[in-house]
């Protein structure tokens, strides 16, 4: 036994040696840049670094200031609202579109291209386009008014209480196409026989979707969830292009706070503290999920 | 902008291969992109090109808030430009302290900047640990109210002579479908407007106590409460000016869609470009017509430390070109700003600039908030005032938060 193990170990290490050597750069990148950069950021968030990093520890001061800042609190609230609705709507709309595409309709390719097309645009372009569409003087409001409904008012981007929904609309327009494609791929992966069996048993179509197809598409849903969630946390360019955080600070988001304080306010410590809080938020979501997902698989 | 940089890079590449030894090319970054500003910066480029060197224009669109981070990260990231604009004050303080910027003391002593540059606070702002790090190019003051004569004619009221008359005329303007006060959505505009109201209503001493000494008690006191009352008026008058950039807001005044705008004298370049004349088409009230005091902020050029010797030499040439009397006149006339030296002849200046020169000569000046506060405190102030102007926050609550910012300011 021991002899075998001894003989086996070097083999394990040397197996696929080429591919291991080839992946060294990526491993180094991951460890040095991602992990190292993260630790460095967290470390310096306890200092009072201004324009340039310096080692002058101030304990939790930066965090106290952060949570006292009304702008940060508003940013977090906006992210929560945006995240909640963006997650639900992009999954629901994406899935419904995909299910409709899956009905063997004509011109499926054309429709798929149309729905996916917005995804080819950057958030900056999306933001500018929707800034125009939602502008009260040129966009939807003025078009409807010119049709005769003169009292019609739809002005989300200049109304602080609903501005975040104006951004949500743009994000959904841009992102649902991709969700639809992922879902469609998942639906195409379902064996035709399952549909036949369900039909033989007389199960209505909506129940087949809800109780059979969706549970079978779990991996696709998880992939989609991760893609949507990471998009939510890092939302920045869309806000900058559409409202630049306005009116006032009503549509601020955490990533913008980080950027503004690191570079405009020349206060690295404050920016690092904010980005550490963002990291913690992500960790709170990811860790339980990863535990369930990967911990479960080992047992199974 | 990208195209321009690309063109600059290509041009740099081409001329390096033929380049004569004497001339050097300097990339100069700045955020002067509105019509009037671009016309002014072209004058600087022309003057520098005349010395046999070459000005490579690196304009960054989107105002200082966007441009400064790009400039700073280029300097700290080891890709310095030849020269770069910053505002007078503390924006480049740490860059100089950490040895990334070039010491200009030699040029300054050789050309006697100490005696030439007026007011001396400009050079003080460039001086860090006894060394001079920047060349001031202009004086910009914030304390101006720009009024559209046409708008008041439409509303059937006289053009106001001070802030109170303006507030009183607001209902008439609104009735005529005119926005009384144009305020753009960029945060620095509402913060700046508040500073202007403070000087006009509470006076120079209070201003200095709050921003100079960071006196929290004064910031929470009755004088500043009055200023917040005026800011509340301004907020109501600004309802409906749905624009972002300052020059779009100025354009509302130029086209008579808005009654007025509180904006620095850089707005003048826009009026000029639109072919309007001070006095007949528009009216300017320094210190809002209440307290004729102007701040002496403005722009200065900083020079990152470069290894290339030729370029370093060209930096010296550029620095002295910027201070040169001819350049000063040509540039400032286009820009609508005041020259940094008292000994130049600005006969061609228009009425508004002459008013400014007069106040400057009388010495009714204060330092700009960029000189008094760190970028960090300025940003907190911007956050507060952009929220205040866009929401229903009470003046009392805003004052409390303002006092907190002053208490922790550096």
């Amino acid at each position: 036994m021991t002899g075998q193990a001894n003989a086996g170990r070097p083999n394990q290490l040397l197996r696929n040696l080429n591919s291991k050597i080839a992946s060294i750069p990526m491993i180094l990148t991951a460890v040095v840049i991602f992990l190292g950069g993260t630790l460095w950021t967290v470390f310096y968030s306890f200092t009072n670094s201004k324009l340039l990093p310096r080692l002058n520890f101030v304990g939790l001061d930066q965090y106290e200031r952060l949570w006292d800042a009304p702008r940060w609190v508003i940013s977090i609230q906006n992210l929560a609202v945006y995240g909640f609705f963006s997650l639900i709507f992009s999954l629901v709309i994406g899935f419904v579109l995909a299910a409709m595409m899956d009905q063997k309709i004509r011109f499926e390719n054309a429709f798929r291209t149309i729905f996916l097309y917005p995804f080819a645009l950057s958030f900056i372009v999306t933001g500018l386009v929707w800034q125009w569409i939602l502008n009260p003087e040129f966009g939807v409001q003025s078009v409807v008014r010119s049709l005769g409904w003169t009292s019609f008012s739809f002005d989300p981007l200049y109304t602080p209480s609903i501005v975040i929904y104006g951004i949500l609309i743009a994000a959904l327009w841009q992102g649902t196409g991709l969700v639809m494609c992922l879902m469609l791929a998942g639906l195409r992966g379902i064996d035709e026989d399952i549909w036949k069996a369900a039909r033989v048993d007389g199960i209505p179509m909506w129940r087949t979707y809800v109780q059979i197809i969706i549970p079978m598409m779990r991996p696709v849903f998880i992939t989609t969830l991760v893609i949507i969630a990471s998009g939510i946390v890092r939302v920045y360019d869309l806000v900058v292009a559409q409202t630049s955080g306005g009116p006032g600070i009503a549509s601020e988001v955490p990533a913008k706070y980080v950027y503004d304080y690191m570079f405009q306010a020349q206060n690295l410590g404050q920016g690092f503290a904010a980005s550490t809080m963002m990291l913690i938020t992500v960790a709170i979501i990811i860790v339980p999920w990863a535990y369930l997902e990967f911990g479960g698989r080992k047992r199974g | 902008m990208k195209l321009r940089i690309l063109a600059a890079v290509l041009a740099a590449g081409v001329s390096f291969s033929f380049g004569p030894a004497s001339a050097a090319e300097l990339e100069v970054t700045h955020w002067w992109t509105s019509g009037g500003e671009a016309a002014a910066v072209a004058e600087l480029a022309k003057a520098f090109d005349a010395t046999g060197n070459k000005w490579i224009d690196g304009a960054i669109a989107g105002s200082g808030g966007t441009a400064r981070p790009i400039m700073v990260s280029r300097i700290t990231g080891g890709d310095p430009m030849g020269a770069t604009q910053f505002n007078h004050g503390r924006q480049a303080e740490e860059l100089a302290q950490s040895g990334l910027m070039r010491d200009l003391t030699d040029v300054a002593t050789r050309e006697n900047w100490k005696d030439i540059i007026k007011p001396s606070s400009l050079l003080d702002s460039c001086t860090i640990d006894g060394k001079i790090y920047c060349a001031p190019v202009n004086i910009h003051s914030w304390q101006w109210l720009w009024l559209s004569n046409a708008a008041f004619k439409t509303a059937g009221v006289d053009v106001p002579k001070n802030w109170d008359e303006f507030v009183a005329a607001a209902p008439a303007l609104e009735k005529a479908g005119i926005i009384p006060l144009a305020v753009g959505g960029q945060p620095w505009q509402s913060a700046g407007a508040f500073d202007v109201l403070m000087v006009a209503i509470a006076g120079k001493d209070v201003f200095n106590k709050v921003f100079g000494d960071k006196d929290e008690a004064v910031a929470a006191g009755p004088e500043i409460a009055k200023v917040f009352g005026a800011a509340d008026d301004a907020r109501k008058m600004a309802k409906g000016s749905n624009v972002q950039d300052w020059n779009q807001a100025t354009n509302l005044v130029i086209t008579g869609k808005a009654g007025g705008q509180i904006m620095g004298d850089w707005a003048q370049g826009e009026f000029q470009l639109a072919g309007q004349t001070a006095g007949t088409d528009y009216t300017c009230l320094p210190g809002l017509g209440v307290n004729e005091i102007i701040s002496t902020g403005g722009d200065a050029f900083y020079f990152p430390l470069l290894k290339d010797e030729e370029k370093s030499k060209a930096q010296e040439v550029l620095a002295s070109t910027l201070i040169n009397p001819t350049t000063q006149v040509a540039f400032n006339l286009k820009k609508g700003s005041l020259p940094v030296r008292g000994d130049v002849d600005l006969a061609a200046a228009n009425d508004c600039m002459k008013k400014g020169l007069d106040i400057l000569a009388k010495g009714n000046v204060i330092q700009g908030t960029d000189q008094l506060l760190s970028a960090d405190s300025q940003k907190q102030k911007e956050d507060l005032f952009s929220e205040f102007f866009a929401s229903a926050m009470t003046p009392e609550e805003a004052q409390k938060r303002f006092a907190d910012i002053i208490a922790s300011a550096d």
Side-chain angles (χ1 to χ4, degrees):
Chain A
M1 276 296 275
T2 45
Q4 251 177 6
N6 277 344
R9 281 243 166 91
N11 271 346
Q12 275 300 58
L13 259 180
L14 291 173
R15 213 171 58 187
N16 287 335
L17 192 62
N18 285 346
S19 66
K20 275 172 188 158
I21 290 172
S23 63
I24 284 176
M26 195 52 221
I27 292 170
L28 279 179
T29 314
V31 169
V32 175
I33 296 182
F34 295 142
L35 195 64
T38 308
L39 291 176
W40 191 88
T41 302
V42 174
F43 184 69
Y44 274 91
S45 74
F46 297 106
T47 68
N48 67 351
S49 303
K50 289 287 186 189
L51 178 64
L52 301 167
R54 62 177 173 218
L55 282 172
N56 189 356
F57 289 97
V58 291
L60 288 171
D61 280 8
Q62 298 286 11
Y63 291 89
E64 274 170 31
R65 178 176 151 188
L66 182 69
W67 285 101
D68 274 343
R71 178 172 160 185
W72 174 255
V73 177
I74 289 176
S75 303
I76 293 287
Q77 286 166 349
N78 279 341
L79 187 66
V81 171
Y82 173 84
F84 180 77
F85 287 111
S86 139
L87 199 63
I88 291 185
F89 280 119
S90 42
L91 279 179
V92 170
I93 299 173
F95 184 79
V96 169
L97 283 178
M100 291 196 309
M101 287 288 200
D102 204 29
Q103 306 307 313
K104 309 210 165 56
I105 51 165
R106 261 202 243 181
F107 308 121
E108 191 202 310
N109 283 339
F111 280 115
R112 211 169 44 203
T113 313
I114 291 171
F115 285 128
L116 192 57
Y117 189 71
F119 191 70
L121 301 178
S122 72
F123 263 147
I124 294 287
V125 176
T126 310
L128 288 175
V129 167
W130 279 90
Q131 188 192 46
W132 282 75
I133 295 178
L134 297 177
N135 186 305
E137 273 142 55
F138 313 110
V140 179
Q141 180 175 310
S142 93
V143 169
V144 176
R145 279 189 184 178
S146 68
L147 291 176
W149 289 276
T150 43
S151 63
F152 177 80
S153 169
F154 182 65
D155 187 10
L157 294 190
Y158 292 102
T159 315
S161 52
I162 55 168
V163 61
I164 195 71
Y165 301 101
I167 291 169
L168 183 67
I169 292 173
L172 288 177
W173 177 79
Q174 202 251 8
T176 32
L178 177 74
V179 177
M180 179 201 77
C181 275
L182 289 168
M183 295 289 173
L184 193 56
L187 284 173
R188 292 280 149 83
I190 304 279
D191 200 330
E192 198 66 17
D193 291 344
I194 289 172
W195 278 106
K196 284 177 190 158
R199 229 166 279 149
V200 168
D201 286 346
I203 304 170
M205 183 148 75
W206 67 269
R207 268 192 74 183
T208 317
Y209 269 119
V210 173
Q211 293 193 320
I212 301 171
I213 306 295
I214 293 180
M216 284 180 77
M217 281 170 64
R218 188 164 176 260
V220 176
F221 269 96
I222 285 170
T223 312
T224 317
L225 205 69
V226 171
I227 290 175
I228 301 174
S230 69
I232 290 168
V233 176
R234 60 160 199 237
V235 61
Y236 169 80
D237 28 11
L238 187 60
V239 177
V240 169
Q242 228 180 329
T243 64
S244 32
I249 53 172
S251 60
E252 291 289 348
V253 286
K256 189 159 174 292
Y257 187 95
V258 172
Y259 177 83
D260 285 0
Y261 272 86
M262 272 167 82
F263 299 108
Q264 292 188 356
Q266 306 187 344
N267 190 339
L268 284 181
Q270 183 65 196
F272 288 158
S275 56
T276 306
M277 289 316 303
M278 283 176 72
L279 178 71
I280 291 175
T281 323
V282 175
I284 287 173
I285 299 168
I286 296 284
V287 168
W289 166 76
Y291 185 77
L292 281 176
E293 193 60 25
F294 299 112
R297 195 168 291 165
K298 243 176 238 163
R299 260 179 275 129
Chain B
M1 188 203 91
K2 265 197 185 135
L3 258 182
R4 230 184 272 177
I5 286 181
L6 190 70
V9 171
L10 282 179
V14 169
S15 68
F16 269 132
S17 39
F18 309 100
S22 60
E25 297 185 333
L26 280 190
E27 187 195 353
V28 187
T29 52
H30 57 84
W31 58 85
W32 286 324
T33 50
S34 83
E37 293 172 331
V41 83
E43 292 291 334
L44 294 183
K46 213 164 71 187
F48 184 59
D49 286 350
T51 63
N53 295 294
K54 189 144 176 46
W55 171 291
I56 308 278
D57 201 59
I60 301 172
S63 88
T66 314
R68 280 192 297 271
I70 299 171
M71 294 164 176
V72 169
S73 57
R74 274 190 61 182
I75 296 169
T76 53
D79 176 29
M81 61 297 281
T84 183
Q85 173 201 6
F86 279 110
N87 290 121
H88 288 314
R90 301 173 57 185
Q91 288 164 352
E93 195 177 64
E94 262 192 77
L95 290 176
Q97 278 166 354
S98 49
L100 290 165
M101 305 310 270
R102 184 168 173 205
D103 175 8
L104 292 174
T105 317
D106 288 345
V107 190
T109 31
R110 196 163 61 225
E111 302 196 348
N112 215 4
W113 288 6
K114 262 211 166 71
D115 298 326
I116 299 173
I117 290 172
K118 294 262 155 46
S120 57
S121 66
L122 293 179
L123 207 56
D124 293 344
S125 285
C126 286
T127 312
I128 295 162
D129 301 327
K131 288 178 190 155
I132 293 169
Y133 284 96
C134 67
V137 288
N138 62 6
I139 301 169
H140 265 310
S141 47
W142 246 110
Q143 290 71 17
W144 297 82
L145 179 60
W146 306 93
L147 299 167
S148 159
N149 291 9
F152 286 96
K153 209 171 164 197
T154 319
V157 282
D158 287 339
V159 179
K161 288 186 194 65
N162 57 46
W163 174 252
D164 293 330
E165 285 182 30
F166 182 40
V167 176
L173 288 170
E174 268 168 7
K175 210 181 265 170
I178 295 166
I179 308 158
L181 182 71
V183 179
Q186 289 168 331
W188 60 268
Q189 295 180 42
S190 35
F194 177 82
D195 296 345
V196 173
L197 285 168
M198 190 194 286
V199 185
I201 287 160
K204 185 175 171 178
D205 293 338
V206 174
F207 180 89
N208 281 334
K209 264 186 209 143
V210 173
F211 292 132
D213 309 338
K214 281 101 190 165
D215 190 332
E216 192 190 342
V218 177
E223 293 284 338
I224 299 298
K226 260 192 256 165
V227 182
F228 270 98
D232 192 29
D233 289 338
R235 168 168 71 172
K236 283 176 198 139
M237 288 158 73
K239 277 255 152 64
S241 46
N242 292 343
V243 290
Q244 278 291 325
D245 296 341
W246 68 267
N247 48 333
Q248 290 171 336
T250 309
N251 197 45
L252 290 178
V253 181
I254 292 175
T255 53
K257 284 185 194 138
Q261 183 191 19
I262 298 177
M263 185 47 60
D265 52 9
W266 47 91
Q268 183 148 264
E270 301 301 301
F271 285 101
Q272 220 164 337
L273 205 71
Q276 299 209 332
T277 335
T280 54
D281 299 312
Y282 67 97
T283 304
C284 56
L285 299 176
L288 307 185
V290 187
N291 248 335
E292 294 211 339
I293 294 168
I294 57 174
S295 63
T296 53
D299 304 290
F301 276 93
Y302 286 75
F303 300 84
L305 203 61
L306 296 180
K307 283 196 192 101
D308 188 324
E309 230 168 81
E310 260 173 49
K311 289 197 175 188
S312 303
K313 253 186 224 145
Q315 283 180 327
E316 284 185 20
V317 177
L318 178 57
S320 77
T321 311
L322 294 172
I323 305 285
N324 182 295
T326 352
T327 326
Q328 278 289 312
V329 173
F331 171 75
N332 285 308
L333 281 178
K334 288 260 166 75
K335 185 82 164 67
S337 50
L338 305 177
V340 294
R341 42 198 299 167
D343 58 352
V344 293
D345 181 28
L346 272 188
N350 64 24
D351 289 355
C352 289
M353 282 177 81
K354 279 188 181 138
K355 277 189 203 173
L357 284 169
D358 244 22
I359 299 170
L360 195 65
K362 277 187 220 149
N364 286 339
V365 293
I366 48 172
Q367 283 193 302
T369 38
D370 281 329
Q371 286 163 295
L372 296 167
L373 295 174
S374 68
D376 190 22
S377 309
Q378 283 280 66
K379 184 79 209 157
Q380 286 176 280
K381 232 174 83 216
E382 283 176 9
D383 286 349
L384 171 62
F385 287 107
S386 64
E387 188 182 357
F388 179 76
F389 268 79
S391 71
M393 191 198 295
T394 61
E396 291 76 30
E397 196 202 332
Q399 187 178 7
K400 214 179 117 239
R401 273 168 53 183
F402 177 69
D404 286 344
I405 292 172
I406 295 301
S408 66
D410 55 350

